[in-house]
Amino acid sequence: MSDKDKTPAASAMWGGRFAGGPAAIMQRINASIDFDRRLYAQDIRGSRAHCRMLVRQNILTPEDGEAILAGLDQVLAEIEGGAFPFRAELEDIHMNVEARLAELIGEPAGRLHTARSRNDQVATDFRLWVRDAIDGMAAALKGLTAALLDRAEQHAATVMPGFTHLQAAQPVTFGHHLMAYVEMIGRDRSRLADARARLNESPLGSAALAGTSFPIDRAATAAELGFDRPMRNSLDGVSDRDFALEFLSASAICAIHLSRLAEELVIWTSAQFRFVSLSDAFTTGSSIMPQKRNPDAAELIRAKTGRVIGDLNALLIVMKGLPLAYSKDMQDDKEPVFEAADTMELAIAAMTGMIRDLTVNQAVMRTAAGAGFTTATDIADWCVRTLKMPFRRAPHVAGSLVKMAEDRGVGLEDLTLAEMRTIEPGISEDARAVLGVDSSVASRTSLGGTAPLRVREAVVAARLRLEEDGR
């Protein structure tokens, strides 16, 4: 994509300035049609809006406008029908469409490009494409959120160990754990919505970099293409790629969230944990070890996160040193965005499928929730509440009880009252009631806590947010 805006010809698209044709290697490095053909629908949509505006402004005759619009319809049908003759020597999707339009309708095709440049044309096309990608990704994340909410509601009271440092810390519920990912995905959707709002300005009419002398109506083309307004500065209009960077940034953060959940699925499905299992639909076997069921979908999501992060880094590096306005470097803005969008579409679909597919081993989770002295904090809290003990002292009492149980090879709940009183004489029989995992999670009733009551409330609230604002 560049500001070479003359009528296309197979030998020299950029007109009379050049006497000879480009070297073969120049054609190869310069062409982008192999990847930017994905912009065809957006390119034709933008051309239609531009054509109609030119007619309304008396820059094109109605007859030329009708011919152009009819020709664009035919070009679109050919592309969608697989009959369009893409040509590398025409460089990009814009020149391919225009050249075919000229073959179909003749001279009026050359008037379509009045008052625009490939610079503002590609900026418009790319914004439209990224906007569509954001909408698709947001819808996919809504489906993943719904799957997480269904599971969280189902397992609002299913006890499991909560971890810090991957060490058993305190009992939580599986529903509470999944609701943490609902919050993460909600922020991902919010970031996408913010990015969409900022990108939703039209660069069309910025022309090559300085605007145009023709009496165009930029507000009209912006409105027809669903933009909120035209961009305010023509230099920024053709050179800005913040919208692509924001999309990639939001995608990379979302991919990290998917990767964290994928990592947990890998851990949970292992023989050492056995918290959950996945069916044949989302696992593979081993060529020599028949007992194995490998969580390959989750592992691949972890790996693909690196690709999305790499896509973000690639475009950041492309853009970091570019002077205003347009430089050919920006031709390389699309491939990382296309790859990230494709990768995220696949990863979100796979994660949604796994969440709906998994089987929860509640008995194993419950047993693990009570191992590792996970209710030690509960006895410390009891000491604070009942004995009015300073909080800084209470963990020392609980820690001494843990050491006693550990030395004797039993759980906290297996210590006798007499044994516990050798550590703290004020401990009474009712303290033993707080040592069960069910009472532990039920007691965590603070806002955002793991108590089943709070988890169910959180599910209801999240469903309402999803219905009302999509987050």
Side-chain angles (χ1 to χ4, degrees):
M1 319 291 176
S2 76
D3 53 3
K4 304 183 288 288
D5 295 311
K6 302 297 182 179
T7 302
S11 59
M13 295 177 294
W14 43 89
R17 170 64 178 83
F18 292 83
I25 193 65
M26 178 59 188
Q27 286 188 332
R28 286 179 58 194
I29 197 172
N30 201 42
S32 57
I33 189 61
D34 285 347
F35 55 86
D36 71 17
R37 65 176 64 187
R38 293 180 65 160
L39 299 174
Y40 76 87
Q42 291 78 17
D43 190 71
I44 291 173
R45 183 180 175 192
S47 290
R48 285 170 170 160
H50 185 66
C51 175
R52 281 190 277 262
M53 180 275 296
L54 293 177
V55 171
R56 285 193 300 271
Q57 297 299 109
N58 297 315
I59 300 169
L60 284 187
T61 66
E63 293 76 20
D64 281 349
E66 289 177 8
I68 289 169
L69 292 174
L72 290 172
D73 287 344
Q74 185 170 342
V75 171
L76 180 63
E78 288 179 1
I79 295 175
E80 292 182 339
F84 187 86
F86 289 108
R87 295 156 60 188
E89 68 271 17
L90 295 176
E91 289 190 12
D92 55 37
I93 186 61
H94 323 300
M95 300 309 293
N96 268 267
V97 169
E98 188 174 331
R100 180 60 179 148
L101 185 65
E103 291 172 356
L104 292 171
I105 68 171
E107 186 176 280
R111 298 192 176 98
L112 172 61
H113 211 47
T114 306
R116 74 174 181 185
S117 161
R118 276 194 290 172
N119 293 354
D120 63 338
Q121 188 177 359
V122 67
T124 303
D125 294 354
F126 199 21
R127 279 177 185 264
L128 290 171
W129 194 95
V130 172
R131 191 175 70 186
D132 290 343
I134 286 174
D135 292 344
M137 186 170 163
L141 288 174
K142 184 175 181 180
L144 174 56
T145 301
L148 288 166
L149 288 172
D150 289 345
R151 285 299 197 174
E153 183 177 42
Q154 181 183 0
H155 293 284
T158 299
V159 181
M160 68 174 290
F163 298 92
T164 60
H165 308 277
L166 203 56
Q167 305 293 313
Q170 291 179 296
V172 297
T173 69
F174 188 50
H176 185 61
H177 195 111
L178 293 179
M179 287 302 293
Y181 285 100
V182 169
E183 293 299 316
M184 294 182 212
I185 300 303
R187 291 193 295 272
D188 293 327
R189 289 179 56 80
S190 178
R191 272 183 283 271
L192 289 169
D194 289 344
R196 191 190 196 283
R198 268 185 294 277
L199 78 73
N200 209 35
E201 296 181 341
S202 174
L204 190 59
S206 298
L209 75 163
T212 178
S213 60
F214 290 93
I216 60 173
D217 186 348
R218 294 190 62 208
T221 52
E224 181 169 343
L225 294 171
F227 290 113
D228 295 329
R229 64 192 69 85
M231 295 184 73
R232 290 183 288 268
N233 183 280
S234 60
L235 287 167
D236 185 48
V238 299
S239 64
D240 170 55
R241 294 298 184 270
D242 289 0
F243 65 94
L245 290 169
E246 286 197 60
F247 171 70
L248 289 174
S249 179
S251 296
I253 296 171
C254 181
I256 289 171
H257 294 154
L258 296 179
S259 184
R260 294 181 73 178
L261 181 51
E263 170 70 4
E264 297 204 292
L265 291 176
V266 171
I267 293 171
W268 293 343
T269 56
S270 68
Q272 289 71 27
F273 274 74
R274 296 187 299 114
F275 285 1
V276 302
S277 61
L278 292 166
S279 76
D280 294 349
F282 290 95
T283 58
T284 65
S286 166
S287 61
I288 63 171
M289 295 170 284
Q291 82 282 6
K292 294 191 68 185
R293 185 188 290 275
N294 301 322
D296 283 3
E299 292 171 0
L300 287 166
I301 288 174
R302 282 189 318 199
K304 289 181 184 300
T305 296
R307 296 174 70 94
V308 178
I309 294 170
D311 291 328
L312 170 60
N313 285 335
L315 187 53
L316 285 168
I317 293 166
V318 166
M319 297 300 299
K320 69 174 180 60
L322 298 186
L324 293 178
Y326 182 90
S327 296
K328 192 73 170 185
D329 309 51
M330 282 191 272
Q331 180 168 288
D332 274 12
D333 58 1
K334 292 159 205 67
E335 287 180 287
V337 171
F338 293 160
E339 179 183 58
D342 291 345
T343 301
M344 292 303 296
E345 180 182 12
L346 182 59
I348 295 168
M351 183 58 74
T352 304
M354 283 189 289
I355 294 300
R356 294 205 178 278
D357 177 79
L358 62 82
T359 299
V360 179
N361 193 335
Q362 297 185 47
V364 172
M365 278 189 176
R366 182 181 180 81
T367 299
F373 311 106
T374 57
T375 56
T377 304
D378 294 276
I379 193 66
D381 288 348
W382 183 89
C383 289
V384 172
R385 279 194 310 269
T386 305
L387 303 181
K388 310 304 179 186
M389 186 180 293
F391 181 80
R392 288 301 180 191
R393 183 186 163 204
H396 292 284
V397 172
S400 298
L401 292 171
V402 167
K403 186 176 187 307
M404 176 185 287
E406 193 171 37
D407 290 344
R408 299 184 184 183
V410 298
L412 278 174
E413 68 278 9
D414 298 317
L415 294 174
T416 66
L417 181 60
E419 289 172 327
M420 297 175 77
R421 281 177 168 169
T422 64
I423 303 296
E424 170 50 57
I427 293 178
S428 60
E429 184 63 34
D430 63 336
R432 296 169 61 81
V434 305
L435 296 176
V437 293
D438 290 307
S439 61
S440 177
V441 297
S443 71
R444 299 296 195 266
T445 56
S446 58
L447 180 65
T450 194
L453 172 66
R454 291 289 174 258
V455 174
R456 293 186 181 99
E457 290 174 349
V459 169
V460 171
R463 284 203 172 111
L464 284 174
R465 291 196 304 273
L466 200 62
E467 293 171 5
E468 291 172 359
D469 61 15
R471 300 181 192 173

